[in-house]
Amino acid sequence: MNSTIQVTVWNEFRHEKKNEKVKALYPDGMHKVIADFLGKNADLQVRTATLDEPEHGLSQEVVDNTDVLIWWGHMAHGEVSDEIVARVQKRVLEGMGLIVLHSGHFSKIFKKMLGTNCSLKWREFAEKERLWNIEPGHPITEGIGEYIELPNTEMYGERFDIPTPDKLIFISWFEGGEVFRSGCVWERGHGRIFYFRPGHETYPIFYNEQIQKVITNAVRWAKPRIIMPDKCPMSQPLEPLENKSNTFGAAGILQNG
Ligand code: ZN
């Protein structure tokens, strides 16, 4: 497998066009800011894709040539076509990495991969958030200290309706009292999935160097170790087998005479 990791940053790219505050923070879209910091790494080759492009920018060719897909969506989850979601899901099961950011918790692809409602509590009150790094030995937290502090964030609180993560990487505390599982990993098929909570569109979260570091680490962690298309074949025995009775219901039952 090529040592360069092919990354596709997918963004809904609607808030940045409609909301002046978001436009001021991310004039070319959040995907551009994410692609720019990832692109500074020699081992990452980064492209972007957005909802309003043909096939949401996720043609079969793009998906086939993506090692890790990053997903940010919020106000238009319902506009993502089921056909594209099925295409992405198939590729994750084959081995592509998937990183879902913030409000992507309600995206079709995240819910499809996890099979639960993915609902949570929320509140927009510019609260302080402290993300505790509870897996300091994990590749995703390399170079991250004991915690990350964000001065102003939207609150996400438990219960987060997800399957129990294979590993919980970050737990958030919020000024208003809630806690949240902010960094979670799962495997589905051959694919690795990372959910990372920060990223509300009205705060400059994706300019934060520690947040950038976590996402960069996560890309390297989520890259495919294998790409294996699904199959379900009839299998020939490796050792010779003696003929057994094929009569329905007779197998394994002692016959008289
Ligand atoms: Zn938000």
Side-chain angles (χ1 to χ4, degrees):
M1 204 164 282
N2 196 321
S3 61
T4 305
I5 305 172
Q6 306 290 328
V7 186
T8 301
V9 181
W10 191 89
N11 182 16
E12 184 181 277
F13 196 25
R14 290 281 176 85
H15 290 279
E16 297 96 323
K17 293 174 185 166
K18 293 182 176 177
N19 179 322
E20 288 304 321
K21 198 175 168 188
V22 182
K23 196 187 284 182
L25 274 177
Y26 299 106
D28 301 310
M30 280 177 269
H31 54 292
K32 176 75 166 58
V33 171
I34 295 169
D36 282 353
F37 73 71
L38 289 174
K40 288 178 189 159
N41 299 280
D43 59 331
L44 309 183
Q45 189 127 39
V46 188
R47 79 182 108 199
T48 63
T50 54
L51 179 65
D52 293 326
E53 292 171 46
E55 299 182 78
H56 312 322
L58 296 173
S59 65
Q60 190 65 57
E61 203 241 324
V62 168
V63 171
D64 286 348
N65 289 292
T66 297
D67 293 319
V68 180
L69 176 64
I70 297 179
W71 195 277
W72 196 101
H74 183 221
M75 63 190 289
H77 293 314
E79 290 180 46
V80 177
S81 99
D82 293 336
E83 189 190 339
I84 303 298
V85 173
R87 181 182 292 167
V88 170
Q89 183 210 23
K90 177 173 179 285
R91 194 64 179 168
V92 173
L93 294 175
E94 288 174 356
M96 180 176 76
L98 176 67
I99 297 173
V100 175
L101 300 171
H102 188 61
S103 41
H105 74 88
F106 255 174
S107 62
K108 285 184 180 179
I109 184 61
F110 191 58
K111 292 199 278 187
K112 189 160 186 134
M113 294 314 310
L114 297 187
T116 53
N117 297 305
C118 302
S119 47
L120 45 78
K121 283 183 195 157
W122 62 277
R123 174 174 64 233
E124 220 181 316
F125 225 82
E127 285 166 64
K128 183 199 276 194
E129 173 181 10
R130 196 175 288 128
L131 293 104
W132 288 95
N133 169 9
I134 61 167
E135 286 295 341
H138 196 278
I140 291 177
T141 57
E142 201 180 312
I144 300 298
E146 202 176 7
Y147 55 82
I148 299 171
E149 214 163 76
L150 300 171
N152 302 112
T153 59
E154 177 189 22
M155 186 282 294
Y156 276 8
E158 297 282 349
R159 186 175 184 265
F160 187 15
D161 187 40
I162 46 171
T164 300
D166 295 344
K167 207 155 221 180
L168 186 55
I169 310 287
F170 290 103
I171 297 175
S172 282
W173 164 90
F174 293 89
E175 214 173 338
E178 287 85 354
V179 294
F180 191 75
R181 288 170 287 174
S182 279
C184 306
V185 299
W186 298 266
E187 285 184 14
R188 288 293 182 271
H190 303 293
R192 293 177 168 194
I193 301 171
F194 177 52
Y195 173 77
F196 193 42
R197 192 211 86 83
H200 186 67
E201 67 276 3
T202 58
Y203 305 112
I205 306 280
F206 293 121
Y207 294 99
N208 179 296
E209 282 182 13
Q210 279 178 298
I211 299 299
Q212 294 181 354
K213 178 87 179 134
V214 170
I215 295 171
T216 307
N217 288 345
V219 166
R220 294 188 180 120
W221 169 83
K223 75 170 184 188
R225 270 61 183 177
I226 194 171
I227 291 284
M228 189 180 273
D230 182 47
K231 52 188 195 284
C232 188
M234 196 284 280
S235 178
Q236 294 296 339
L238 296 179
E239 317 296 338
L241 297 177
E242 60 178 286
N243 264 338
K244 301 269 170 59
S245 170
N246 284 327
T247 310
F248 179 76
I253 295 172
L254 283 174
Q255 303 292 303
N256 289 328

